[in-house]
Amino acid sequence: MSSVTEMSVDTPVVDTAQGKVRGHRANGVSVFKGLRYGASTGGDNRFRPPQPVEPWAGVQDAFEYGHQSPQMRSMLADKGPMSEDCLRLNIWTPNTDNAGRPVMLWFHGGGFEAGSGSQKVYDGTRLALRGDVVVVGLNHRLNVFGHCFLGERLGPEYAAAGNVGYLDLIAAMRWVRDNIAAFGCAPDNVTLFGQSGGGRKVSLCYAGHDAEGLFNRGIVQSGSHLRIQSPEHAASLTDALLKILDIAPNQVERLLDVSVDALSAAQIKVMRETRSRFSPVLDGLAFTDHPFLPEAPAQSNHLPMMVGTTRTELSNQLGYQEGVFDMDEAEMKRRLAKFIPAEDVEDAVSVFRTGNPGASPTEVYFTVTSARGYVLDQTIMAEQRVRANAAPTFVYQLTWRSPAEDGRKISQHTLDLPFMFDNVAYATHLTGPESEETQAMAQAMAESWISFARTGDPNNAAIPQWPAYDLTERPTMLFEVPPRLAHDPHAAEREFMARYETQQMGRTLHR
């Protein structure tokens, strides 16, 4: 059991199960950065489940973020170092006392191949202070380092290689269970929350048996994950990797000696050549069934959930397409045929324009593709839980129209982050300048996230009454100014998309 052993105004020291760590006070919270929850995953530990941290003597300073998993440099990563010594977590707590605060454990976005827990918008200071909660964020293995399916190629020590990135999350959750009380928390009141790839990771924790008993509820933001890769497809990615690295199938052990840079470069080539990504695998070990298809996982039916999307998720990703903001009607329909069958395009445009009178071709394009790529999966997840008679599931959609970039991206993917973290100042490129409206959005969303973390029910004074989802009224909280509760909003759009299966039946997943 960990405990607080000494305290100063500026540098609180906490005794964890592995040794003492020293944080610092900043802006009213105690902050501990770069704490190891697992040993380095380099060397003999590559592709193996996370290994325990060796205890240390003395006091370790926890002032700087730890390394992030190796990945391609992009806006999804931070500017800090990358290495296989990436099993690190960060803690923001109002105080290292015995207050028994709720724990909010954040999984970063970036699919399963990119991202970092140390981006500015993820800073937990304001959320911790606003809700008197403890915020924990972490890094873990990604892409080929976290999800290289080896099956029986290297023996039992590597049988779990296809899911070690997920097992890193489990190791972090166990660290929280064993240590977090000394940081002012209640280890039996843990909420997982994550956006995009982070939401996918939360989804997996509802389905993976290793996660049982380690959390109490979860928030899936723009990342409902319904199916995972088959062993056959995952093995084909490993074969492609070996070919690029010029490693014979009977010499798979050479993967253990490939440099980090060479392995990273090779996995990017695999991703581009196969149009697929290294991601969690139905390996019969960590996962014995797909997460939410053909049904919701019974093991987590007793756990509440919040799940939702933004209105035009794909205005973020598709907003980089050439000419997308200058489309006419014909061009919009031509592009839509890449997302839905060509024979359905006219019907889709009619349905979605009826619900969005005056929408430009660009807005219709963003709304249809987002409904196909994100909203359908979120709806399936919520419906599966209702059919399984699971604990309450609360559904939302962020419909506030951002003025950033002259409003052209409407309610894009990631727009929820600055509001539920109460960090608008760090993300004005998403929200536009701070204003009464952004303040109102942060109030409604942050308070709802905090209320759910505290009790499993998001209701609070900043929003209208929010009932749990059902298949009759389909109550949905619309986060706009002011927030409003709607029953089956965009019903015609939902009914149109119900004709399709999730895109996760195939190989490629949007981030």
Side-chain angles (χ1 to χ4, degrees), residues 12 29 36 58 93 101 188 247 260 308 316 334 363 410 416 419:
V29 299
R36 281 186 170 85
T93 177
R101 299 174 180 86
D188 58 353
I247 295 176
V260 168
N316 179 303
R334 185 187 72 80
E363 182 169 347
I410 312 159
D416 46 338
F419 296 134

Side-chain angles (χ1 to χ4, degrees), residues 378-406:
Q378 171 257 292
T379 302
I380 292 171
M381 176 177 274
E383 289 176 342
Q384 294 289 71
R385 282 179 53 84
V386 172
R387 293 188 182 106
N389 197 30
T393 301
F394 298 90
V395 172
Y396 72 88
Q397 187 169 84
L398 195 168
T399 50
W400 182 73
R401 300 175 71 96
S402 171
E405 299 186 51
D406 296 322

Side-chain angles (χ1 to χ4, degrees), residues 400-450:
W400 182 73
R401 300 175 71 96
S402 171
E405 299 186 51
D406 296 322
R408 65 182 188 168
K409 290 188 177 176
I410 312 159
S411 306
Q412 66 174 295
H413 190 64
T414 71
L415 183 59
D416 46 338
L417 296 176
F419 296 134
M420 32 72 57
F421 268 109
D422 195 6
N423 278 335
V424 171
Y426 292 149
T428 54
H429 64 289
L430 294 173
T431 65
E434 293 184 82
S435 65
E436 289 185 4
E437 287 211 352
T438 64
Q439 183 179 14
M441 287 294 295
Q443 174 77 4
M445 295 192 74
E447 290 295 331
S448 297
W449 266 238
I450 290 164

Side-chain angles (χ1 to χ4, degrees), residues 68 75 82 92 106 130 154 160 243 260 284 314 334 347 375 383 434 445-446 458 468 478 492 499 503:
Q68 57 198 317
M75 68 178 70
M82 299 176 180
W92 291 264
W106 173 251
R130 174 187 277 273
L154 279 181
K243 184 177 179 180
V260 168
L314 280 169
R334 185 187 72 80
D347 191 13
V375 181
E383 289 176 342
E434 293 184 82
M445 295 192 74
L478 301 181
R499 69 184 68 182
Q503 290 179 321

